[in-house]
Structure formats: C-alpha cells, structure tokens
C-alpha cells in the first residue's frame, strides 16, 4: 500500500460508499485561483439521473449480472455513479457510445457506473478488498485514475480552497467527496441539503460522492468571494425523485465548514497531460 497517501475511511451503507483519499503527487496539479472573474456556470449531464438504490426495480440483478450469491437492492457505488454523470458531460454522445456508455438508457448507464465502481475498487491500492467480492466503497481519486487508465480523460486536477473550486467549475464539472450527515438526506423544497442550521449536529452517516454540475450563484463584494451567498448544485445518484429532480444544493460556506474532510477532483479533457 502507498505510504504517502492521506486516507480517511467511513462506514459504507449501501446509499453512500466514498472514502477520502488524498495523493500529494496529484494534489500538486491544482488549478490555482489567479484573481480571474468567477461567473455562474452550469454543466448538464447527458444521462438520466442514476440510482444506486432500487437496483432490482431497474432490472439489475446482482446475482445474475455480477455473480453474487444474492441480489442486493443497493450498492455503495456513489463514486462510480458520480464519475459516470461527469463523464456524460465531458464526452459527446458519439464518444460516450464508443466508451460503452449508453446515454439514453438509465439501466445501461447504471451498469456502466457499477463497472466504473468495480474498477476503482481494484485501483484503490490502499485497500485489499474490492467489489464484487465485497461492497467496500471507493474514492474520487480512484475514479479519476480509472478514467485516465481507460483513456477517457487527459488529466485530473484538484481544488483545496473555495476559490479553486469555483475556478474549476468555470471549465467543467467536478467530483466532490464529502462527509454525509443525516440532515443532508432531507433537503428543503429547493434542494438545499444544508437548509437546517443544525445540520452539523445530525448523525454522520458516512462518506458520499457527488458530481458538482453548477456554480449556480456567485456573490463577490469588493473582490472577495462571499461563501454564504455562493451556491453549488450537484447531481446525486439516488434517483430523480430525490430533492430537485435528483439534484441538491449547498452553500459554499458548507463546503468550507467541511473542507478538512472534502476532496474535489476534476477529470478533464483539455488536450494536456501532467
């Protein structure tokens, strides 16, 4: 196992499954904020909202399709689901088809996400177990490495500050891994997972991975970013009935409150390699 990684593992209930893994080598490829104007941006996935739960209702039988002893109705595959949503933005429909991702069929796309998750558990050298033998969860870094191994991205970069995160979102979506509190599972009518001011006092359920698809609002005063009034939107992988048609929102101040346990990685297709 690599010894220079920072690793923070969580319990992996079937609706979660992300661990925080930071690699100092890849963290060096950060897109630093250089004072450029930060504007609201939006990146729309080209696939239906995925659902890592309710697999049987989608026609996914893990005993038949993946050789498990029993059919399970949910997997800790949020990293693979977030990575698939992001990939559907980066690739054109034709490129996605060539990569084996059917952007029109939700069940086929969920199978793709499960395969991405399985490969990431193999790529995660910091843990011995992998799926489908064990539903152990994965990391955003693992997903980025698999996408690069498959030749689907040129490189990946990270953000470690609020300004860097907003800078990444100027050019594309990003994967965000974060600790998930039970309050987040009950967003308000607008999809804000942090609407309850006491969210940090609710039980920690585990770690979760989402795909940040929009810098929905940007507040700047006198050249200083205002986190309380800057809004991130992300697509989740709990089906279209969750929150705002499958997407949630949180303020940048919540990101800052959780930053020590958050990792942000952006797989990119921009013709450059680190």
């Amino acid at each position: 196992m690599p010894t220079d990684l920072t690793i923070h593992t969580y319990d992996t209930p079937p609706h979660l499954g992300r661990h925080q893994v930071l690699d100092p080598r890849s963290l060096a490829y950060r897109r630093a904020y250089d004072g450029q104007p930060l504007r609201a941006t939006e990146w729309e996935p080209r696939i239906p909202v995925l659902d890592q739960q309710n697999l049987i209702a989608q026609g996914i039988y893990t005993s038949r399709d993946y050789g498990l002893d029993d059919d399970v109705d949910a997997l800790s595959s949020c990293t693979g689901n977030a990575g698939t949503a992001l990939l559907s933005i980066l690739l054109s429909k034709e490129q996605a088809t060539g990569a084996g991702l059917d952007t029109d069929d939700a069940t086929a796309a969920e199978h793709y996400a499960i395969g991405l998750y399985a490969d990431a558990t193999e790529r995660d050298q910091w843990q011995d177990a992998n799926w489908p033998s064990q539903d152990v969860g994965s990391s955003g870094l693992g997903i980025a490495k698999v996408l690069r191994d498959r030749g689907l991205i040129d490189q990946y970069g990270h953000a470690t500050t609020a300004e860097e995160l907003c800078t990444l979102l100027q050019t594309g979506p990003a994967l965000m891994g974060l600790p998930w509190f039970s309050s987040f599972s009950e967003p308000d009518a607008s999809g804000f997972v942090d609407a309850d001011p006491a969210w940090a006092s609710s039980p920690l359920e585990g770690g979760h991975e989402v795909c940040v698809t929009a810098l929905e609002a940007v507040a700047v005063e006198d050249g200083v970013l205002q986190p309380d009034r800057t809004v991130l939107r992300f697509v989740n992988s709990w089906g279209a009935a969750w929150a705002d048609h499958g997407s949630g929102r949180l303020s940048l101040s919540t990101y800052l409150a959780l930053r020590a346990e958050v990792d942000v990685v952006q797989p990119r297709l921009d013709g450059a390699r680190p």
Side-chain angles (χ1 to χ4, degrees):
M1 177 180 115
T3 58
D4 57 348
L5 301 178
T6 297
I7 301 169
H8 185 165
T9 61
Y10 297 82
D11 290 337
T12 55
H15 64 300
L16 299 176
R18 166 265 182 181
H19 306 291
Q20 183 190 39
V21 181
L22 302 175
D23 178 356
R25 179 185 177 278
S26 60
L27 281 172
Y29 296 98
R30 290 159 50 196
R31 186 161 289 182
Y33 177 61
D34 59 5
Q36 69 187 81
L38 297 173
R39 300 181 175 87
T41 58
E42 182 174 0
W43 310 94
E44 191 66 30
R46 294 188 175 92
I47 55 174
V49 177
L50 299 179
D51 190 354
Q52 69 191 86
Q53 307 176 89
N54 305 306
L55 298 179
I56 294 174
Q58 299 174 68
I60 299 174
Y61 296 92
T62 52
S63 62
R64 178 194 67 195
D65 300 334
Y66 299 103
L68 299 184
D69 291 336
D70 301 301
D71 290 318
V72 299
D73 206 26
L75 288 171
S76 304
S77 58
C78 58
T79 55
N81 281 269
T84 301
L86 182 141
L87 192 64
S88 78
I89 299 170
L90 294 188
L91 302 183
S92 67
K93 182 179 179 65
E94 293 74 19
Q95 289 171 325
T97 299
L101 173 58
D102 186 337
T103 57
D104 296 321
D105 187 305
T107 298
E110 183 59 39
H111 275 296
Y112 188 92
I114 292 170
L116 196 59
Y117 166 57
D119 284 357
T121 63
E122 290 277 0
R123 196 66 169 81
D124 286 330
Q125 299 176 12
W126 50 273
Q127 63 179 358
D128 295 328
N130 55 70
W131 195 84
S133 61
Q134 290 181 264
D135 192 14
V136 292
S138 184
S139 65
L141 181 62
I143 293 296
K145 289 181 176 180
V146 169
L147 293 179
R148 182 156 185 184
D149 289 346
R150 293 186 182 186
L152 300 176
I153 63 172
D154 297 319
Q155 61 170 308
Y156 50 89
H158 296 264
T160 59
T161 70
E163 289 80 7
E164 289 175 356
L165 170 55
C166 293
T167 299
L168 288 184
L169 294 173
Q170 301 301 294
T171 58
L175 301 177
M176 176 184 286
L178 71 164
W180 194 263
F181 293 83
S182 62
S183 180
F184 291 173
S185 296
E186 299 179 0
D188 70 4
S190 298
F192 279 91
V193 298
D194 52 357
D196 182 353
W199 60 262
S201 299
S202 65
L204 177 65
E205 293 188 339
H208 194 33
E209 193 86 19
V210 298
C211 178
V212 183
T213 55
L215 183 59
E216 199 167 63
V218 184
V220 178
E221 289 184 7
D222 299 324
V224 179
L225 190 62
Q226 304 297 305
D228 287 344
R229 294 185 287 117
T230 297
V231 177
L232 306 173
R233 187 172 80 240
F234 62 87
V235 63
N236 203 353
S237 52
W238 295 349
W242 184 81
D244 183 6
H245 304 287
S247 290
R249 296 177 172 86
L250 55 82
S251 72
L252 195 61
S253 58
T254 298
Y255 159 78
L256 286 172
L258 297 172
R259 187 172 61 175
E261 293 187 50
V262 170
D263 61 86
V264 176
V265 58
Q266 186 188 57
R268 296 199 288 261
L269 256 179
D270 53 16
R273 294 182 182 274

